[in-house]
Amino acid sequence: MILPVVLDLRGRPCLVVGGGDVARRKAEELLAEGAVVTVVAPEALPSLEALAAAGELVLERRGYRAGEAAAYRLVFAATDDPETNHLAARDAEAARVWVNVADDPVACSFHVPARVKRGPLQIAVASEGVAPFAVRRIRRLLERRFASGWSAWTTAAGRFRARVRGKGLGDGEREALFDRYFSSTVDPETLAVRVPSAREVDEWLGEPRPSAGAAGRDGEPPRAGLVSLVGAGPGDPGLLTLLGRRRLMAADAVVVDRLAEAAVPPDLPARVELIRVGKEAGNHPVPQAQIEALLVSLAREGKRVVRLKGGDPCVFGRGGEEAEALREAGIAYEVVPGVTSGISVPTYAGIPVTYRDEAVCVTLVTAHECRKRDGQQVPWELLAREPHATIVGFMGVATLASVSERLVAGGMDPRTPAALIERGSTSAQRVVTATLRDLPATAREQEVVPPALFVIGSVVRHAERLDWFSNRPLSGVRLAVASPADGLLSLELAGAALVEVPYPLTPAARMALDALPLDGCLLRDASDAEAFAAERTAFGNGAVAYCLSREAAGRAEELGWGEVVAVREGARPDELVAVLGRRLEEVERHGPRRGCD
Ligand code: SAH
């Protein structure tokens, strides 16, 4: 029989008996809640000593004295001596002080539930001590489902409540406002949340501010649409900007280019409408005029629209053209720049686009136009005469041969180093280097396909020496992992691309997963195995389960996972890197390692 209560411990005296790990955890928990903590122990961990030295708590270096529990509000008996623990428990009970004895549920008069803490929001899980293992797992599930955004959300909800209360409304109206707040900011399926903008809140409260510009004048819909032209970066999802991510998380609709699909955040709330307009195998892309019309009509519905483009929107991305069309239609818009592939992709291939004394000028050029027009726009002959420069060519796989010819005809040294980089910054990155003269043939042999960039200039010489990206033990490996992907930094630093997905999988997570081949899933525990098993189609039939515990491996086997690779229980991160690396070599020897098509 338990009644969960919420205790206000601020300023209240609490006793921890014991100086080991459990005692330290209890003392820290109490301190975090503002309690006045005394620790009694003949010997204490250095961290407890440090807390005492800093004046955070009182540490009495001695044994527990009979009767002293009576002076406190809560007592934690956490020594490794059952006698002492029981003495403290009996004292506490006699003095009607609440007591908790480590590892002895019967001697406890209270338990601390497992908690998920998000700022002022706390979710407690308890089972009357019947199934602590279940409680731990449920807490872990909740820990995943309630992302860190709930902290700011709860604080904002508190502010909203204060404003609603200040209005002196009736119960019904008040509840309706709370409903509106909740349903507009919480995705009930994924539990993703967002903090509403000040303007939105004003609107809900019926206190709209006079707004600048065309939006919000009399007779117009209450919320004017806005289009954010956002650059997604070259493909590595980490290169999406913070501002871009904020716009995506707050969007009503996202219109995505093919090149940007890999950078769509998998935790994008399911309520956000995702519209792909890029080319897919066998499908033509949506024509540009139609995309512009789509942006205009979505914005006219009052939606917040993100137009997500590869790289930077205004570098061969028609960002300028779309901004013109929006302006023409009287739609409010903004541009959120992105990391252009033109600079970043060479970097990922070990090619610095400028280098003291070697290259003092960079030309970003499209190699596409020279096929389209008779009179060429790009002065290749001029570029050919600039030895201290780097040429970065976009959309140039098909025209590489003619570009190379033109440059050589214009006087460029045919031995100038050149590179072609396919899907730069992603797990599928390939780099082909050759001389300017030989690059077209080498690229054909290696079957390089778009998206790829070519780089011409002496800086390409550095590619081999500075190849930091694909020299890492796990480069080329792409793995799905259940959110949150904490504690996996070493995998990332070893070069693995981790796609951190929520489950159940959202459309955005599917889009991100599908954008590039996947090698497998990392399963930490049985609940990961179960969650991912339900979604296995998204990972392809042969996707390998890399299991980080016996429990996960066992469950994955039971669920009929195609291939299960168990990493030793409790393995250190570097072992994990080694296991994955070995397996990769193996598969490379025995054929394609792609399990997803
Ligand atoms: N706005 C984008 C470019 C769009 S044009 C940007 O700033 O990066 C599309 C071309 O960009 C592709 O044909 C290719 O030449 C280049 N590109 C984009 N992403 C790339 C990547 N990850 N690797 C290699 N080339 C890429």
mmCIF file with all atom_site columns, all heavy atoms in Angstrom, residues 234 259 310-313 315-317 340-342 345 393-396 421-425 451-453, ligand 1:
data_model
loop_
_atom_site.group_PDB
_atom_site.id
_atom_site.type_symbol
_atom_site.label_atom_id
_atom_site.label_alt_id
_atom_site.label_comp_id
_atom_site.label_asym_id
_atom_site.label_entity_id
_atom_site.label_seq_id
_atom_site.pdbx_PDB_ins_code
_atom_site.Cartn_x
_atom_site.Cartn_y
_atom_site.Cartn_z
_atom_site.occupancy
_atom_site.B_iso_or_equiv
_atom_site.pdbx_formal_charge
_atom_site.auth_seq_id
_atom_site.auth_comp_id
_atom_site.auth_asym_id
_atom_site.auth_atom_id
_atom_site.pdbx_PDB_model_num
ATOM   1   N N   . PRO A 1 234 ? 25.342 19.817 -45.931 1.00 0.00 ? 234 PRO A N   1
ATOM   2   C CA  . PRO A 1 234 ? 25.712 18.907 -47.017 1.00 0.00 ? 234 PRO A CA  1
ATOM   3   C C   . PRO A 1 234 ? 25.207 17.478 -46.872 1.00 0.00 ? 234 PRO A C   1
ATOM   4   O O   . PRO A 1 234 ? 25.357 16.684 -47.783 1.00 0.00 ? 234 PRO A O   1
ATOM   5   C CB  . PRO A 1 234 ? 27.236 18.932 -46.958 1.00 0.00 ? 234 PRO A CB  1
ATOM   6   C CG  . PRO A 1 234 ? 27.554 19.200 -45.526 1.00 0.00 ? 234 PRO A CG  1
ATOM   7   C CD  . PRO A 1 234 ? 26.478 20.134 -45.044 1.00 0.00 ? 234 PRO A CD  1
ATOM   8   N N   . LEU A 1 259 ? 18.166 16.304 -51.586 1.00 0.00 ? 259 LEU A N   1
ATOM   9   C CA  . LEU A 1 259 ? 19.481 16.425 -50.944 1.00 0.00 ? 259 LEU A CA  1
ATOM   10  C C   . LEU A 1 259 ? 19.383 16.681 -49.451 1.00 0.00 ? 259 LEU A C   1
ATOM   11  O O   . LEU A 1 259 ? 20.327 16.454 -48.710 1.00 0.00 ? 259 LEU A O   1
ATOM   12  C CB  . LEU A 1 259 ? 20.250 17.595 -51.567 1.00 0.00 ? 259 LEU A CB  1
ATOM   13  C CG  . LEU A 1 259 ? 21.058 17.303 -52.820 1.00 0.00 ? 259 LEU A CG  1
ATOM   14  C CD1 . LEU A 1 259 ? 21.739 18.579 -53.296 1.00 0.00 ? 259 LEU A CD1 1
ATOM   15  C CD2 . LEU A 1 259 ? 22.090 16.214 -52.547 1.00 0.00 ? 259 LEU A CD2 1
ATOM   16  N N   . GLY A 1 310 ? 19.224 21.353 -49.573 1.00 0.00 ? 310 GLY A N   1
ATOM   17  C CA  . GLY A 1 310 ? 20.589 20.890 -49.314 1.00 0.00 ? 310 GLY A CA  1
ATOM   18  C C   . GLY A 1 310 ? 21.553 22.067 -49.259 1.00 0.00 ? 310 GLY A C   1
ATOM   19  O O   . GLY A 1 310 ? 21.339 23.091 -49.915 1.00 0.00 ? 310 GLY A O   1
ATOM   20  N N   . GLY A 1 311 ? 22.599 21.940 -48.445 1.00 0.00 ? 311 GLY A N   1
ATOM   21  C CA  . GLY A 1 311 ? 23.639 22.967 -48.406 1.00 0.00 ? 311 GLY A CA  1
ATOM   22  C C   . GLY A 1 311 ? 23.099 24.309 -47.951 1.00 0.00 ? 311 GLY A C   1
ATOM   23  O O   . GLY A 1 311 ? 22.362 24.399 -46.980 1.00 0.00 ? 311 GLY A O   1
ATOM   24  N N   . ASP A 1 312 ? 23.448 25.353 -48.663 1.00 0.00 ? 312 ASP A N   1
ATOM   25  C CA  . ASP A 1 312 ? 22.920 26.686 -48.410 1.00 0.00 ? 312 ASP A CA  1
ATOM   26  C C   . ASP A 1 312 ? 21.829 26.961 -49.445 1.00 0.00 ? 312 ASP A C   1
ATOM   27  O O   . ASP A 1 312 ? 21.999 26.634 -50.618 1.00 0.00 ? 312 ASP A O   1
ATOM   28  C CB  . ASP A 1 312 ? 24.041 27.722 -48.543 1.00 0.00 ? 312 ASP A CB  1
ATOM   29  C CG  . ASP A 1 312 ? 23.523 29.116 -48.258 1.00 0.00 ? 312 ASP A CG  1
ATOM   30  O OD1 . ASP A 1 312 ? 22.997 29.765 -49.195 1.00 0.00 ? 312 ASP A OD1 1
ATOM   31  O OD2 . ASP A 1 312 ? 23.609 29.541 -47.097 1.00 0.00 ? 312 ASP A OD2 1
ATOM   32  N N   . PRO A 1 313 ? 20.720 27.583 -49.012 1.00 0.00 ? 313 PRO A N   1
ATOM   33  C CA  . PRO A 1 313 ? 19.611 27.770 -49.953 1.00 0.00 ? 313 PRO A CA  1
ATOM   34  C C   . PRO A 1 313 ? 20.001 28.633 -51.152 1.00 0.00 ? 313 PRO A C   1
ATOM   35  O O   . PRO A 1 313 ? 19.417 28.496 -52.230 1.00 0.00 ? 313 PRO A O   1
ATOM   36  C CB  . PRO A 1 313 ? 18.533 28.488 -49.129 1.00 0.00 ? 313 PRO A CB  1
ATOM   37  C CG  . PRO A 1 313 ? 18.977 28.476 -47.717 1.00 0.00 ? 313 PRO A CG  1
ATOM   38  C CD  . PRO A 1 313 ? 20.409 28.084 -47.666 1.00 0.00 ? 313 PRO A CD  1
ATOM   39  N N   . VAL A 1 315 ? 23.051 28.954 -52.613 1.00 0.00 ? 315 VAL A N   1
ATOM   40  C CA  . VAL A 1 315 ? 24.171 28.534 -53.451 1.00 0.00 ? 315 VAL A CA  1
ATOM   41  C C   . VAL A 1 315 ? 23.646 27.434 -54.375 1.00 0.00 ? 315 VAL A C   1
ATOM   42  O O   . VAL A 1 315 ? 23.442 26.296 -53.949 1.00 0.00 ? 315 VAL A O   1
ATOM   43  C CB  . VAL A 1 315 ? 25.349 28.013 -52.599 1.00 0.00 ? 315 VAL A CB  1
ATOM   44  C CG1 . VAL A 1 315 ? 26.485 27.527 -53.502 1.00 0.00 ? 315 VAL A CG1 1
ATOM   45  C CG2 . VAL A 1 315 ? 25.853 29.100 -51.664 1.00 0.00 ? 315 VAL A CG2 1
ATOM   46  N N   . PHE A 1 316 ? 23.355 27.783 -55.597 1.00 0.00 ? 316 PHE A N   1
ATOM   47  C CA  . PHE A 1 316 ? 22.765 26.855 -56.565 1.00 0.00 ? 316 PHE A CA  1
ATOM   48  C C   . PHE A 1 316 ? 21.574 26.108 -55.966 1.00 0.00 ? 316 PHE A C   1
ATOM   49  O O   . PHE A 1 316 ? 21.386 24.924 -56.235 1.00 0.00 ? 316 PHE A O   1
ATOM   50  C CB  . PHE A 1 316 ? 23.817 25.871 -57.092 1.00 0.00 ? 316 PHE A CB  1
ATOM   51  C CG  . PHE A 1 316 ? 24.986 26.568 -57.701 1.00 0.00 ? 316 PHE A CG  1
ATOM   52  C CD1 . PHE A 1 316 ? 26.262 26.415 -57.190 1.00 0.00 ? 316 PHE A CD1 1
ATOM   53  C CD2 . PHE A 1 316 ? 24.802 27.427 -58.776 1.00 0.00 ? 316 PHE A CD2 1
ATOM   54  C CE1 . PHE A 1 316 ? 27.336 27.088 -57.732 1.00 0.00 ? 316 PHE A CE1 1
ATOM   55  C CE2 . PHE A 1 316 ? 25.877 28.109 -59.323 1.00 0.00 ? 316 PHE A CE2 1
ATOM   56  C CZ  . PHE A 1 316 ? 27.140 27.942 -58.808 1.00 0.00 ? 316 PHE A CZ  1
ATOM   57  N N   . GLY A 1 317 ? 20.827 26.800 -55.163 1.00 0.00 ? 317 GLY A N   1
ATOM   58  C CA  . GLY A 1 317 ? 19.690 26.150 -54.517 1.00 0.00 ? 317 GLY A CA  1
ATOM   59  C C   . GLY A 1 317 ? 18.384 26.848 -54.840 1.00 0.00 ? 317 GLY A C   1
ATOM   60  O O   . GLY A 1 317 ? 17.356 26.509 -54.277 1.00 0.00 ? 317 GLY A O   1
ATOM   61  N N   . THR A 1 340 ? 27.234 25.280 -46.937 1.00 0.00 ? 340 THR A N   1
ATOM   62  C CA  . THR A 1 340 ? 27.202 24.836 -48.331 1.00 0.00 ? 340 THR A CA  1
ATOM   63  C C   . THR A 1 340 ? 28.131 23.640 -48.551 1.00 0.00 ? 340 THR A C   1
ATOM   64  O O   . THR A 1 340 ? 29.213 23.553 -47.944 1.00 0.00 ? 340 THR A O   1
ATOM   65  C CB  . THR A 1 340 ? 27.573 25.972 -49.309 1.00 0.00 ? 340 THR A CB  1
ATOM   66  O OG1 . THR A 1 340 ? 27.493 25.451 -50.645 1.00 0.00 ? 340 THR A OG1 1
ATOM   67  C CG2 . THR A 1 340 ? 28.976 26.501 -49.080 1.00 0.00 ? 340 THR A CG2 1
ATOM   68  N N   . SER A 1 341 ? 27.706 22.743 -49.413 1.00 0.00 ? 341 SER A N   1
ATOM   69  C CA  . SER A 1 341 ? 28.554 21.592 -49.733 1.00 0.00 ? 341 SER A CA  1
ATOM   70  C C   . SER A 1 341 ? 29.839 22.072 -50.414 1.00 0.00 ? 341 SER A C   1
ATOM   71  O O   . SER A 1 341 ? 30.882 21.443 -50.310 1.00 0.00 ? 341 SER A O   1
ATOM   72  C CB  . SER A 1 341 ? 27.804 20.613 -50.641 1.00 0.00 ? 341 SER A CB  1
ATOM   73  O OG  . SER A 1 341 ? 27.493 21.219 -51.874 1.00 0.00 ? 341 SER A OG  1
ATOM   74  N N   . GLY A 1 342 ? 29.746 23.222 -51.073 1.00 0.00 ? 342 GLY A N   1
ATOM   75  C CA  . GLY A 1 342 ? 30.887 23.720 -51.844 1.00 0.00 ? 342 GLY A CA  1
ATOM   76  C C   . GLY A 1 342 ? 32.136 23.936 -51.000 1.00 0.00 ? 342 GLY A C   1
ATOM   77  O O   . GLY A 1 342 ? 33.254 23.813 -51.487 1.00 0.00 ? 342 GLY A O   1
ATOM   78  N N   . VAL A 1 345 ? 32.134 19.983 -48.163 1.00 0.00 ? 345 VAL A N   1
ATOM   79  C CA  . VAL A 1 345 ? 32.404 18.650 -48.717 1.00 0.00 ? 345 VAL A CA  1
ATOM   80  C C   . VAL A 1 345 ? 33.892 18.468 -49.057 1.00 0.00 ? 345 VAL A C   1
ATOM   81  O O   . VAL A 1 345 ? 34.484 17.446 -48.709 1.00 0.00 ? 345 VAL A O   1
ATOM   82  C CB  . VAL A 1 345 ? 31.440 18.354 -49.900 1.00 0.00 ? 345 VAL A CB  1
ATOM   83  C CG1 . VAL A 1 345 ? 31.936 17.194 -50.748 1.00 0.00 ? 345 VAL A CG1 1
ATOM   84  C CG2 . VAL A 1 345 ? 30.047 18.073 -49.355 1.00 0.00 ? 345 VAL A CG2 1
ATOM   85  N N   . GLY A 1 393 ? 33.122 22.683 -58.451 1.00 0.00 ? 393 GLY A N   1
ATOM   86  C CA  . GLY A 1 393 ? 32.066 22.579 -59.456 1.00 0.00 ? 393 GLY A CA  1
ATOM   87  C C   . GLY A 1 393 ? 30.866 21.802 -58.957 1.00 0.00 ? 393 GLY A C   1
ATOM   88  O O   . GLY A 1 393 ? 31.002 20.673 -58.483 1.00 0.00 ? 393 GLY A O   1
ATOM   89  N N   . PHE A 1 394 ? 29.694 22.404 -59.050 1.00 0.00 ? 394 PHE A N   1
ATOM   90  C CA  . PHE A 1 394 ? 28.440 21.772 -58.642 1.00 0.00 ? 394 PHE A CA  1
ATOM   91  C C   . PHE A 1 394 ? 27.780 21.123 -59.855 1.00 0.00 ? 394 PHE A C   1
ATOM   92  O O   . PHE A 1 394 ? 27.891 21.630 -60.968 1.00 0.00 ? 394 PHE A O   1
ATOM   93  C CB  . PHE A 1 394 ? 27.465 22.826 -58.093 1.00 0.00 ? 394 PHE A CB  1
ATOM   94  C CG  . PHE A 1 394 ? 27.852 23.381 -56.744 1.00 0.00 ? 394 PHE A CG  1
ATOM   95  C CD1 . PHE A 1 394 ? 28.923 24.259 -56.616 1.00 0.00 ? 394 PHE A CD1 1
ATOM   96  C CD2 . PHE A 1 394 ? 27.125 23.051 -55.612 1.00 0.00 ? 394 PHE A CD2 1
ATOM   97  C CE1 . PHE A 1 394 ? 29.267 24.786 -55.375 1.00 0.00 ? 394 PHE A CE1 1
ATOM   98  C CE2 . PHE A 1 394 ? 27.454 23.580 -54.377 1.00 0.00 ? 394 PHE A CE2 1
ATOM   99  C CZ  . PHE A 1 394 ? 28.529 24.449 -54.260 1.00 0.00 ? 394 PHE A CZ  1
ATOM   100 N N   . MET A 1 395 ? 27.059 20.056 -59.605 1.00 0.00 ? 395 MET A N   1
ATOM   101 C CA  . MET A 1 395 ? 26.242 19.396 -60.632 1.00 0.00 ? 395 MET A CA  1
ATOM   102 C C   . MET A 1 395 ? 27.069 19.080 -61.866 1.00 0.00 ? 395 MET A C   1
ATOM   103 O O   . MET A 1 395 ? 26.630 19.292 -62.990 1.00 0.00 ? 395 MET A O   1
ATOM   104 C CB  . MET A 1 395 ? 25.051 20.307 -61.012 1.00 0.00 ? 395 MET A CB  1
ATOM   105 C CG  . MET A 1 395 ? 24.146 20.578 -59.835 1.00 0.00 ? 395 MET A CG  1
ATOM   106 S SD  . MET A 1 395 ? 22.859 21.774 -60.169 1.00 0.00 ? 395 MET A SD  1
ATOM   107 C CE  . MET A 1 395 ? 23.720 23.326 -59.942 1.00 0.00 ? 395 MET A CE  1
ATOM   108 N N   . GLY A 1 396 ? 28.244 18.545 -61.642 1.00 0.00 ? 396 GLY A N   1
ATOM   109 C CA  . GLY A 1 396 ? 29.146 18.421 -62.778 1.00 0.00 ? 396 GLY A CA  1
ATOM   110 C C   . GLY A 1 396 ? 29.531 17.006 -63.159 1.00 0.00 ? 396 GLY A C   1
ATOM   111 O O   . GLY A 1 396 ? 30.496 16.823 -63.887 1.00 0.00 ? 396 GLY A O   1
ATOM   112 N N   . ILE A 1 421 ? 33.927 14.235 -55.487 1.00 0.00 ? 421 ILE A N   1
ATOM   113 C CA  . ILE A 1 421 ? 33.489 13.758 -54.177 1.00 0.00 ? 421 ILE A CA  1
ATOM   114 C C   . ILE A 1 421 ? 31.991 13.480 -54.214 1.00 0.00 ? 421 ILE A C   1
ATOM   115 O O   . ILE A 1 421 ? 31.194 14.376 -54.479 1.00 0.00 ? 421 ILE A O   1
ATOM   116 C CB  . ILE A 1 421 ? 33.774 14.810 -53.080 1.00 0.00 ? 421 ILE A CB  1
ATOM   117 C CG1 . ILE A 1 421 ? 35.223 15.289 -53.184 1.00 0.00 ? 421 ILE A CG1 1
ATOM   118 C CG2 . ILE A 1 421 ? 33.475 14.240 -51.704 1.00 0.00 ? 421 ILE A CG2 1
ATOM   119 C CD1 . ILE A 1 421 ? 35.445 16.649 -52.549 1.00 0.00 ? 421 ILE A CD1 1
ATOM   120 N N   . GLU A 1 422 ? 31.655 12.223 -53.944 1.00 0.00 ? 422 GLU A N   1
ATOM   121 C CA  . GLU A 1 422 ? 30.247 11.815 -54.010 1.00 0.00 ? 422 GLU A CA  1
ATOM   122 C C   . GLU A 1 422 ? 29.675 11.772 -52.592 1.00 0.00 ? 422 GLU A C   1
ATOM   123 O O   . GLU A 1 422 ? 30.330 11.271 -51.684 1.00 0.00 ? 422 GLU A O   1
ATOM   124 C CB  . GLU A 1 422 ? 30.200 10.424 -54.662 1.00 0.00 ? 422 GLU A CB  1
ATOM   125 C CG  . GLU A 1 422 ? 28.821 9.872  -54.888 1.00 0.00 ? 422 GLU A CG  1
ATOM   126 C CD  . GLU A 1 422 ? 28.893 8.425  -55.404 1.00 0.00 ? 422 GLU A CD  1
ATOM   127 O OE1 . GLU A 1 422 ? 29.522 8.178  -56.445 1.00 0.00 ? 422 GLU A OE1 1
ATOM   128 O OE2 . GLU A 1 422 ? 28.325 7.550  -54.739 1.00 0.00 ? 422 GLU A OE2 1
ATOM   129 N N   . ARG A 1 423 ? 28.469 12.296 -52.422 1.00 0.00 ? 423 ARG A N   1
ATOM   130 C CA  . ARG A 1 423 ? 27.769 12.275 -51.137 1.00 0.00 ? 423 ARG A CA  1
ATOM   131 C C   . ARG A 1 423 ? 28.659 12.644 -49.959 1.00 0.00 ? 423 ARG A C   1
ATOM   132 O O   . ARG A 1 423 ? 28.703 11.956 -48.931 1.00 0.00 ? 423 ARG A O   1
ATOM   133 C CB  . ARG A 1 423 ? 27.171 10.890 -50.876 1.00 0.00 ? 423 ARG A CB  1
ATOM   134 C CG  . ARG A 1 423 ? 26.295 10.402 -52.012 1.00 0.00 ? 423 ARG A CG  1
ATOM   135 C CD  . ARG A 1 423 ? 25.136 9.604  -51.537 1.00 0.00 ? 423 ARG A CD  1
ATOM   136 N NE  . ARG A 1 423 ? 24.167 10.491 -50.935 1.00 0.00 ? 423 ARG A NE  1
ATOM   137 C CZ  . ARG A 1 423 ? 22.854 10.278 -50.927 1.00 0.00 ? 423 ARG A CZ  1
ATOM   138 N NH1 . ARG A 1 423 ? 22.362 9.193  -51.460 1.00 0.00 ? 423 ARG A NH1 1
ATOM   139 N NH2 . ARG A 1 423 ? 22.048 11.129 -50.355 1.00 0.00 ? 423 ARG A NH2 1
ATOM   140 N N   . GLY A 1 424 ? 29.379 13.729 -50.140 1.00 0.00 ? 424 GLY A N   1
ATOM   141 C CA  . GLY A 1 424 ? 30.321 14.162 -49.115 1.00 0.00 ? 424 GLY A CA  1
ATOM   142 C C   . GLY A 1 424 ? 29.659 14.392 -47.770 1.00 0.00 ? 424 GLY A C   1
ATOM   143 O O   . GLY A 1 424 ? 28.486 14.769 -47.704 1.00 0.00 ? 424 GLY A O   1
ATOM   144 N N   . SER A 1 425 ? 30.409 14.147 -46.714 1.00 0.00 ? 425 SER A N   1
ATOM   145 C CA  . SER A 1 425 ? 30.020 14.345 -45.316 1.00 0.00 ? 425 SER A CA  1
ATOM   146 C C   . SER A 1 425 ? 29.070 13.266 -44.806 1.00 0.00 ? 425 SER A C   1
ATOM   147 O O   . SER A 1 425 ? 28.674 13.304 -43.657 1.00 0.00 ? 425 SER A O   1
ATOM   148 C CB  . SER A 1 425 ? 29.401 15.735 -45.060 1.00 0.00 ? 425 SER A CB  1
ATOM   149 O OG  . SER A 1 425 ? 28.016 15.750 -45.341 1.00 0.00 ? 425 SER A OG  1
ATOM   150 N N   . PRO A 1 451 ? 24.647 13.007 -55.997 1.00 0.00 ? 451 PRO A N   1
ATOM   151 C CA  . PRO A 1 451 ? 25.284 14.314 -55.945 1.00 0.00 ? 451 PRO A CA  1
ATOM   152 C C   . PRO A 1 451 ? 26.787 14.210 -55.732 1.00 0.00 ? 451 PRO A C   1
ATOM   153 O O   . PRO A 1 451 ? 27.242 13.494 -54.867 1.00 0.00 ? 451 PRO A O   1
ATOM   154 C CB  . PRO A 1 451 ? 24.631 14.976 -54.725 1.00 0.00 ? 451 PRO A CB  1
ATOM   155 C CG  . PRO A 1 451 ? 24.294 13.833 -53.823 1.00 0.00 ? 451 PRO A CG  1
ATOM   156 C CD  . PRO A 1 451 ? 23.956 12.682 -54.736 1.00 0.00 ? 451 PRO A CD  1
ATOM   157 N N   . ALA A 1 452 ? 27.507 14.923 -56.560 1.00 0.00 ? 452 ALA A N   1
ATOM   158 C CA  . ALA A 1 452 ? 28.962 14.954 -56.406 1.00 0.00 ? 452 ALA A CA  1
ATOM   159 C C   . ALA A 1 452 ? 29.480 16.324 -56.806 1.00 0.00 ? 452 ALA A C   1
ATOM   160 O O   . ALA A 1 452 ? 28.873 17.022 -57.617 1.00 0.00 ? 452 ALA A O   1
ATOM   161 C CB  . ALA A 1 452 ? 29.594 13.870 -57.273 1.00 0.00 ? 452 ALA A CB  1
ATOM   162 N N   . LEU A 1 453 ? 30.590 16.689 -56.208 1.00 0.00 ? 453 LEU A N   1
ATOM   163 C CA  . LEU A 1 453 ? 31.244 17.963 -56.489 1.00 0.00 ? 453 LEU A CA  1
ATOM   164 C C   . LEU A 1 453 ? 32.614 17.672 -57.058 1.00 0.00 ? 453 LEU A C   1
ATOM   165 O O   . LEU A 1 453 ? 33.262 16.731 -56.616 1.00 0.00 ? 453 LEU A O   1
ATOM   166 C CB  . LEU A 1 453 ? 31.517 18.705 -55.187 1.00 0.00 ? 453 LEU A CB  1
ATOM   167 C CG  . LEU A 1 453 ? 30.455 19.488 -54.462 1.00 0.00 ? 453 LEU A CG  1
ATOM   168 C CD1 . LEU A 1 453 ? 31.022 19.899 -53.113 1.00 0.00 ? 453 LEU A CD1 1
ATOM   169 C CD2 . LEU A 1 453 ? 30.049 20.705 -55.253 1.00 0.00 ? 453 LEU A CD2 1
HETATM 170 N N1  . SAH B 2 .   ? 22.552 24.465 -52.244 1.00 0.00 ? 1   SAH B N1  1
HETATM 171 C C1  . SAH B 2 .   ? 23.451 23.361 -52.314 1.00 0.00 ? 1   SAH B C1  1
HETATM 172 C C2  . SAH B 2 .   ? 23.790 22.967 -53.714 1.00 0.00 ? 1   SAH B C2  1
HETATM 173 C C3  . SAH B 2 .   ? 22.616 22.493 -54.507 1.00 0.00 ? 1   SAH B C3  1
HETATM 174 S S1  . SAH B 2 .   ? 23.007 22.096 -56.160 1.00 0.00 ? 1   SAH B S1  1
HETATM 175 C C4  . SAH B 2 .   ? 24.689 23.669 -51.471 1.00 0.00 ? 1   SAH B C4  1
HETATM 176 O O1  . SAH B 2 .   ? 24.903 24.801 -51.056 1.00 0.00 ? 1   SAH B O1  1
HETATM 177 O O2  . SAH B 2 .   ? 25.453 22.744 -51.218 1.00 0.00 ? 1   SAH B O2  1
HETATM 178 C C5  . SAH B 2 .   ? 23.216 20.363 -56.050 1.00 0.00 ? 1   SAH B C5  1
HETATM 179 C C6  . SAH B 2 .   ? 24.663 20.000 -56.194 1.00 0.00 ? 1   SAH B C6  1
HETATM 180 O O3  . SAH B 2 .   ? 25.337 20.266 -55.005 1.00 0.00 ? 1   SAH B O3  1
HETATM 181 C C7  . SAH B 2 .   ? 24.918 18.544 -56.444 1.00 0.00 ? 1   SAH B C7  1
HETATM 182 O O4  . SAH B 2 .   ? 24.733 18.190 -57.795 1.00 0.00 ? 1   SAH B O4  1
HETATM 183 C C8  . SAH B 2 .   ? 26.359 18.431 -56.030 1.00 0.00 ? 1   SAH B C8  1
HETATM 184 O O5  . SAH B 2 .   ? 27.195 18.947 -57.023 1.00 0.00 ? 1   SAH B O5  1
HETATM 185 C C9  . SAH B 2 .   ? 26.411 19.369 -54.856 1.00 0.00 ? 1   SAH B C9  1
HETATM 186 N N2  . SAH B 2 .   ? 26.246 18.679 -53.583 1.00 0.00 ? 1   SAH B N2  1
HETATM 187 C C10 . SAH B 2 .   ? 25.333 18.913 -52.655 1.00 0.00 ? 1   SAH B C10 1
HETATM 188 N N3  . SAH B 2 .   ? 25.510 18.124 -51.586 1.00 0.00 ? 1   SAH B N3  1
HETATM 189 C C11 . SAH B 2 .   ? 26.581 17.367 -51.854 1.00 0.00 ? 1   SAH B C11 1
HETATM 190 C C12 . SAH B 2 .   ? 27.295 16.360 -51.145 1.00 0.00 ? 1   SAH B C12 1
HETATM 191 N N4  . SAH B 2 .   ? 26.913 15.968 -49.942 1.00 0.00 ? 1   SAH B N4  1
HETATM 192 N N5  . SAH B 2 .   ? 28.362 15.798 -51.730 1.00 0.00 ? 1   SAH B N5  1
HETATM 193 C C13 . SAH B 2 .   ? 28.770 16.183 -52.954 1.00 0.00 ? 1   SAH B C13 1
HETATM 194 N N6  . SAH B 2 .   ? 28.134 17.128 -53.663 1.00 0.00 ? 1   SAH B N6  1
HETATM 195 C C14 . SAH B 2 .   ? 27.058 17.717 -53.122 1.00 0.00 ? 1   SAH B C14 1
#
